[in-house]
């Protein structure tokens, strides 16, 4: 997988927030996001949900608008307020859940609407809202389908965080929605997933001026939950909201920030890899600004980030590969690499080349580490190097011999 081009935010065409990411077939990722309208008036004007899809987490397709407040007959006449949605697939139907107020007095009248389709990415029709679920500040629906086919719905806001079983029609509550136990400093943005038989619930907290993302676990989908702490620091935006999913064996955190607009209610969706330790704890997540760094953890190593990526000379990006590295004075630089005390750092380079004995010079903090060879039997070559403590380490690749295309670079620690 080629990851070498700016990736976060990965949708920049329109402002998007609150990404709910799913794969229904293991081959395509669908992100059901809310849509910040430019210019924004707080979150009041949010409307017109779009879906985004990808087969490789790098190239994204805008599948278009699937639902707007105009389509919601029971909604407030003024429209807007189409906030964080979710979607679930069951028995041939895609159910799209979204919070929307039914009256002008919007914050007292939230309801959870349901639209359905036979397709994951189009033709959604509103079916009304879930009776018995809603009211003051009750937003951010999340629906979780357990392995036994039982579906659960979660909503939260305004000091409440409720969970309930859904009936097979996916629109009726089978059990009353009750407050879940064990969450610490809950604010909003509930997301539930299961990994190795453990239920995880992520949510944003009330830290000011910006929220952390916290995680809790349970052996039951409705808790009680055990709070495991904050794993994602604020995103540089007044809201924190995200989803966690596994795709092709790798776990990902989707979230939003305001990197494009600089404005807290004109947000843009992002994705980064996340990892778990042997006890099932999520490791602190690192938000990246480019897709260069891949959080793969070889064996027992711990992977950390690369913050900056810069091409120079005749080096250029094409099809997710850095090319032109054999031109005089061409190369690329990685900066912001963290030195971890006594831990040794290994630079992993994934490459493609048609040429025998292709190679490229590696330079670490101004020290020539000589050529690293692209002649391993697989397509990865690596070198363990010394880094300085702190995050001001720089690595450059330059002086390529032969047609060597770099597709991925990562740093791990031994
Ligand atoms: O996007 C509108 C609201 O902001 C969401 O429903 C909250 O979770 C926060 O992200």
């Amino acid at each position: 997988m080629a990851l070498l081009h700016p990736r976060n935010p990965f949708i920049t065409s329109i402002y998007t927030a609150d990404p709910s990411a799913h794969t229904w077939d293991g081959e395509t990722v669908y992100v059901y996001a809310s849509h910040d309208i430019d210019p924004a008036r707080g979150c009041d004007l949010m409307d017109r949900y779009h879906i985004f899809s990808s087969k490789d987490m790098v190239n994204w397709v805008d599948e278009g608008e699937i639902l707007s407040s105009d389509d919601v007959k029971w909604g407030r006449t003024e429209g807007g307020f189409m906030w964080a949605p979710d979607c679930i697939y069951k028995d041939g139907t895609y159910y799209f859940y979204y919070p929307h107020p039914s009256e002008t007095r919007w914050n007292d009248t939230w309801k959870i609407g349901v639209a359905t389709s036979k397709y994951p990415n189009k033709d959604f029709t509103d079916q009304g809202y879930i009776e018995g679920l809603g009211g003051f500040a009750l937003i951010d629906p999340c629906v979780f389908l357990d392995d036994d086919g039982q579906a659960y719905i979660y909503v939260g806001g305004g000091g409440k965080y409720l969970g309930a079983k859904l009936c097979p029609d996916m629109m009726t509550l089978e059990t009353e929605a009750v407050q879940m136990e064990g969450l610490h400093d809950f604010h909003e943005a509930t997301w539930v997933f299961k990994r190795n038989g453990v239920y995880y619930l992520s949510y944003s907290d009330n830290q000011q001026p910006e929220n952390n993302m916290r995680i809790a676990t349970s052996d039951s989908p409705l808790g009680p939950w055990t709070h495991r702490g904050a794993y994602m620091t604020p995103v540089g935006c007044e809201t924190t909201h995200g989803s966690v999913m596994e795709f092709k064996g790798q776990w990902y955190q989707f979230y939003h920030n305001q990197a494009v607009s600089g404005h807290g209610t004109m947000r843009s969706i992002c994705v980064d890899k996340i990892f778990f330790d042997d006890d099932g704890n999520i490791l602190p997540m690192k938000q990246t600004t480019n897709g260069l760094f891949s959080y793969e953890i070889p064996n027992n190593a711990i992977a950390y980030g690369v913050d900056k990526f810069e091409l120079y000379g005749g080096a250029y990006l094409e099809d997710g590969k850095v090319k032109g590295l054999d031109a005089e004075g061409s190369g690329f630089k990685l900066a912001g690499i963290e030195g971890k005390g006594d831990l040794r750092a290994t630079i992993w380079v994934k490459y493609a080349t048609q040429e025998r004995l292709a190679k490229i010079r590696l330079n670490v903090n101004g020290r020539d580490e000589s050529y690293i060879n692209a002649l391993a039997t697989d397509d990865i070559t690596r070198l363990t190097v010394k880094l300085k403590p702190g995050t001001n380490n720089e690595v450059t690749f330059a002086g390529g011999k032969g047609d060597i295309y770099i597709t991925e670079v990562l740093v791990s620690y031994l």
Side-chain angles (χ1 to χ4, degrees):
M1 180 165 57
L3 294 174
L4 272 176
H5 64 79
R7 189 179 65 176
N8 279 328
F10 66 89
I11 301 297
T12 53
S13 49
I14 58 173
Y15 292 114
T16 52
D18 310 321
S20 290
H22 293 277
T23 180
W24 310 117
D25 60 0
E27 293 300 321
T28 305
V29 176
Y30 290 97
V31 177
Y32 301 82
S34 50
H35 179 190
D36 285 340
I37 301 294
D38 180 8
R41 196 177 73 218
C43 290
D44 299 11
L45 306 179
M46 291 176 68
D47 208 339
R48 306 199 290 271
Y49 296 110
H50 278 233
I51 296 178
F52 304 91
S53 70
S54 176
K55 291 193 179 303
D56 57 8
M57 304 286 272
V58 174
N59 300 291
W60 291 91
V61 175
D62 178 1
E63 301 275 354
E65 180 182 319
I66 55 154
L67 193 77
S68 83
S69 60
D70 295 339
D71 305 321
V72 182
K73 302 295 170 256
W74 52 265
R76 69 200 294 270
T77 46
E78 301 87 343
F81 290 94
M82 298 291 264
W83 285 11
D86 193 16
C87 189
I88 205 81
Y89 174 71
K90 187 159 190 267
D91 300 335
T93 300
Y94 295 86
Y95 296 85
F96 180 75
Y97 298 83
Y98 61 95
H100 186 61
S102 56
E103 293 171 34
T104 304
R105 235 178 52 255
W106 59 274
N107 207 23
D108 292 332
T109 63
W110 286 101
K111 295 190 169 38
I112 305 303
V114 188
T116 58
S117 174
K118 292 290 164 207
Y119 304 95
N121 56 348
K122 60 178 184 175
D123 293 353
F124 280 89
T125 307
D126 190 57
Q127 306 293 343
Y129 59 84
I130 299 179
E131 295 283 355
L133 193 62
F136 176 73
L138 273 182
I139 54 172
D140 296 355
C142 165
V143 175
F144 168 72
L145 190 62
D146 209 347
D147 304 330
D148 61 3
Q150 176 65 56
Y152 298 84
I153 187 159
Y154 308 84
V155 290
K160 288 189 186 164
Y161 28 101
L162 308 180
K165 275 187 182 180
L166 275 175
C167 290
D169 69 1
M170 302 295 277
M171 280 201 62
T172 314
L173 296 184
E174 187 177 317
T175 59
E176 192 188 343
V178 291
Q179 183 104 344
M180 291 178 292
E181 291 172 27
L183 304 182
H184 170 75
D185 197 24
F186 179 92
H187 179 43
E188 58 189 11
T190 312
W191 182 260
V192 173
F193 63 99
K194 192 175 183 180
R195 179 180 179 274
N196 295 341
V198 176
Y199 299 89
Y200 291 76
L201 190 157
S202 68
Y203 61 98
S204 62
D205 68 12
N206 290 295
Q207 176 175 290
Q208 292 301 323
E210 295 165 2
N211 316 141
N212 294 296
M213 193 69 90
R214 293 183 177 272
I215 193 85
T217 58
S218 178
D219 56 9
S220 155
L222 292 176
W225 299 92
T226 303
H227 174 238
R228 304 277 179 199
Y231 69 100
M232 180 175 150
T233 52
V235 293
C237 171
E238 63 203 50
T239 57
T240 300
H241 190 119
S243 57
V244 175
M245 71 163 299
E246 185 183 16
F247 183 60
K248 301 191 173 176
Q250 173 66 54
W251 287 85
Y252 294 90
Q253 174 76 49
F254 286 76
Y255 58 99
H256 62 227
N257 65 21
Q258 60 179 51
V260 174
S261 71
H263 192 291
T265 49
M266 290 198 290
R267 298 162 290 182
S268 303
I269 54 177
C270 303
V271 60
D272 275 299
K273 294 182 179 181
I274 53 169
F275 296 94
F276 296 80
D277 69 15
D278 291 345
D279 297 326
N281 300 304
I282 299 189
L283 297 176
M285 186 219 141
K286 176 140 175 109
Q287 297 160 40
T288 68
T289 52
N290 62 53
L292 175 65
F293 180 65
S294 169
Y295 284 83
E296 287 173 14
I297 302 189
N299 303 323
N300 297 320
I302 310 163
Y304 289 89
V306 171
D307 278 342
K308 290 183 202 125
F309 165 62
E310 186 186 309
L311 296 167
Y312 59 86
Y316 61 97
L317 281 171
E318 188 178 281
D319 299 332
K321 299 182 176 109
V322 180
K323 297 184 173 179
L325 291 167
D326 50 351
E328 184 70 29
S330 297
F332 67 99
K333 181 164 87 175
L334 312 173
I337 301 172
E338 189 172 6
K340 299 288 291 179
D342 291 339
L343 297 180
R344 289 170 295 148
T346 302
I347 314 286
W348 298 65
V349 184
K350 202 165 180 179
Y351 64 88
T353 182
Q354 302 295 322
E355 291 197 28
R356 207 178 149 261
L357 299 182
K359 52 192 168 184
I360 190 160
R361 264 189 194 281
L362 173 68
N363 185 297
V364 178
N365 293 326
R367 178 172 186 263
D368 181 16
E369 301 280 349
S370 187
Y371 286 111
I372 55 172
N373 293 324
L375 44 70
T377 48
D378 56 15
D379 62 350
I380 291 176
T381 187
R382 57 185 181 265
L383 198 71
T384 298
V385 297
K386 284 185 182 159
L387 293 182
K388 299 180 287 190
T391 55
N392 58 347
N393 289 281
E394 279 189 5
V395 168
T396 57
F397 295 84
K401 299 276 183 216
D403 221 2
I404 173 169
Y405 309 144
I406 307 288
T407 58
E408 194 167 340
V409 177
L410 66 91
V411 182
S412 67
Y413 298 85
L414 304 172

